[in-house]
Amino acid sequence: MYPSLHERYGLSRVINAAGTYTPLGVSRSSDAVAQATVAALGDFFVIDELQEAADRALARHSGAEAGAVTHCVAAAITQAVAAAMAGSDPERVAALPDATGMPDRVVIPAGHAVDYGHPILTDIRLAGATPVVAGTERGCSLAEIDSALAQRGIACLLLVSSRLTRGQAVDLAEAVAAAHRHGVPAIVDGAAQDLRMRELLATGADLVVFSAHKYLASPTAGLIVGSRALVQACRAQERGIARAMKATKEAIVGVLAALEERERLDLPQWRASQRVKVANFIGQASAIPGVRATEVPDPAGMPFSRVCLEIVPSGRGWNAEALVAGLAAGDPSIRTMDRAAGQGRLHLELVPLSEDELQAILDRIATLARELGAAG
Ligand SMILES: *Cc1c(COP(=O)(O)O)cnc(C)c1O
């Protein structure tokens, strides 16, 4: 369509094996999604009609009562918290982030206070609310959630379903039930787990939010699904703090196209093709000296695996950190998940990559193994 962007603006070419990572452009849209987005850019719409179409599509897709599109999940979290505080009341909506006279405390388990590029607590504070962090990084019991919810001025409970959460897992359904016992809504951030929409709604959460630009691969957008009254209250914030968080026309149209594509997707066949991709990659990577390749399930329960490369250091410079750096330094720059590089491992997510790109990664690893002196 516009093939020379990297040359035209002097940009690094990237092979992204690091997953749906914001600093690398997150995902790749299909041609159909890109074309719908382009068509939207050239025209006018009644935005409420676009949001109503998204509402119908999201309700059909998720089984929730209602849905809406926002600028991104960070925005969706702020809007959901604001909705729990102000509802759709025009005066309250206009007053935020001044929360005087409104319930303004948001309970979040300590292990869910994640940093996905910025602290999720910032999303809470942006609404004018104050986070109440329950439990510790090691864990948060139901009793601890319960006693935090029993304080005065609680607006809602915020839970995160992500590979970024820490400590003993919180049972989402039990935590949601606790919020309901205290008469406040529960919001679940399921950002990178759009394939688990129905599962996360089945926890009983009042609102669940997803990034549409992650695995759904639409233009940048956040999806909110849940109860009609609260979804409407999220949109009502567009007349207040969420003016800066609104979905664009092209994003809403891109989301609609991506949802249609998702509904046509043969999921069992897609999962099988991901398994083949991972197995082939592991087979070839295992033949490279100094590399042990294994399959690891997605830590957040998405239906595909990652590749783990365990690097056997040679004492001559070949180790996981040198491999990560060598991959990133090339052209194209190959980006991997390097959080465990200090422990001798790196992870690769292959979902968006083409056969040519997978081959380019394997070739580069083999070259670096030779150059850095991997032991055979
Ligand atoms: C990516 C992510 C977000 C932010 O999503 P955006 O749509 O990019 O704002 C929020 N929470 C979690 C757990 C994420 O992984």
Side-chain angles (χ1 to χ4, degrees):
M1 199 174 46
Y2 205 74
S4 61
L5 282 177
H6 294 83
E7 276 159 47
R8 192 181 177 100
Y9 298 112
L11 309 170
S12 303
R13 294 192 306 152
V14 175
I15 296 178
N16 175 25
T20 54
Y21 188 46
T22 303
L24 295 177
V26 195
S27 63
R28 273 175 170 157
S29 296
S30 68
D31 287 346
V33 169
Q35 278 160 20
T37 305
V38 168
L41 281 166
D43 226 325
F44 296 107
F45 303 91
V46 177
I47 296 293
D48 279 340
E49 288 178 4
L50 277 181
Q51 283 279 10
E52 282 157 22
D55 172 33
R56 290 190 295 272
L58 284 166
R60 187 181 66 234
H61 188 75
S62 69
E65 260 174 45
V69 184
T70 67
H71 183 71
C72 63
V73 160
I77 294 167
T78 301
Q79 281 176 252
V81 167
M85 291 195 292
S88 295
D89 179 80
E91 278 176 33
R92 288 186 160 205
V93 168
L96 288 182
D98 178 346
T100 308
M102 303 179 214
D104 67 346
R105 292 155 73 77
V106 175
V107 176
I108 180 170
H112 289 203
V114 299
D115 186 318
Y116 55 78
H118 85 164
I120 195 169
L121 298 185
T122 299
D123 299 328
I124 295 172
R125 294 194 178 101
L126 271 170
T130 303
V132 176
V133 177
T136 69
E137 294 254 328
R138 266 177 288 124
C140 176
S141 67
L142 198 59
E144 285 169 312
I145 291 177
D146 234 355
S147 74
L149 286 165
Q151 296 175 33
R152 281 154 54 100
I154 299 298
C156 62
L157 171 68
L158 176 61
L159 301 165
V160 179
S161 179
S162 161
R163 56 182 71 128
L164 299 173
T165 57
R166 297 170 312 274
Q168 185 78 32
V170 173
D171 183 312
L172 297 183
E174 283 182 1
V176 168
H180 291 168
R181 277 199 301 281
H182 290 276
V184 295
I187 300 158
V188 174
D189 171 7
Q193 296 166 37
D194 53 272
L195 282 160
R196 300 181 64 212
M197 248 183 220
R198 285 176 184 265
E199 226 177 302
L200 291 176
L201 277 164
T203 61
D206 301 87
L207 291 175
V208 188
V209 300
F210 302 95
S211 289
H213 45 287
K214 290 184 173 170
Y215 296 99
L216 196 59
S218 81
T220 299
L223 308 177
I224 303 179
V225 294
S227 83
R228 178 155 301 283
L230 272 172
V231 168
Q232 278 169 351
C234 288
R235 285 219 55 221
Q237 311 305 316
E238 289 169 17
R239 296 177 182 280
I241 55 171
R243 169 73 190 191
M245 303 173 189
K246 61 190 174 292
T248 61
K249 60 184 176 182
E250 65 274 18
I252 302 173
V253 170
V255 163
L256 287 168
L259 283 172
E260 283 160 23
E261 207 159 74
R262 171 63 61 76
E263 280 166 4
R264 286 195 301 271
L265 179 71
D266 180 341
L267 197 56
Q269 197 210 319
W270 183 82
R271 291 181 69 160
S273 72
Q274 298 305 318
R275 276 198 297 274
V276 169
K277 207 186 232 192
V278 168
N280 286 345
F281 191 94
I282 287 174
Q284 292 192 62
S286 298
I288 301 172
V291 176
R292 288 197 198 119
T294 51
E295 176 174 344
V296 287
D298 178 77
M302 287 285 274
F304 49 77
S305 297
R306 301 168 168 184
V307 173
C308 174
L309 298 182
E310 194 186 326
I311 305 305
V312 188
S314 67
R316 281 179 287 168
W318 170 250
N319 59 46
E321 280 157 331
L323 175 59
V324 166
L327 288 171
D331 176 23
S333 177
I334 297 170
R335 303 301 183 95
T336 56
M337 297 168 169
D338 61 0
R339 277 211 290 176
Q343 292 97 58
R345 281 171 283 129
L346 56 152
H347 295 91
L348 287 79
E349 192 176 291
L350 311 184
V351 174
L353 302 180
S354 68
E355 287 303 319
D356 286 353
E357 289 171 321
L358 296 175
Q359 197 55 54
I361 297 173
L362 288 161
D363 291 347
R364 186 87 65 75
I365 296 172
T367 303
L368 287 163
R370 224 175 19 252
E371 288 175 2
L372 296 170

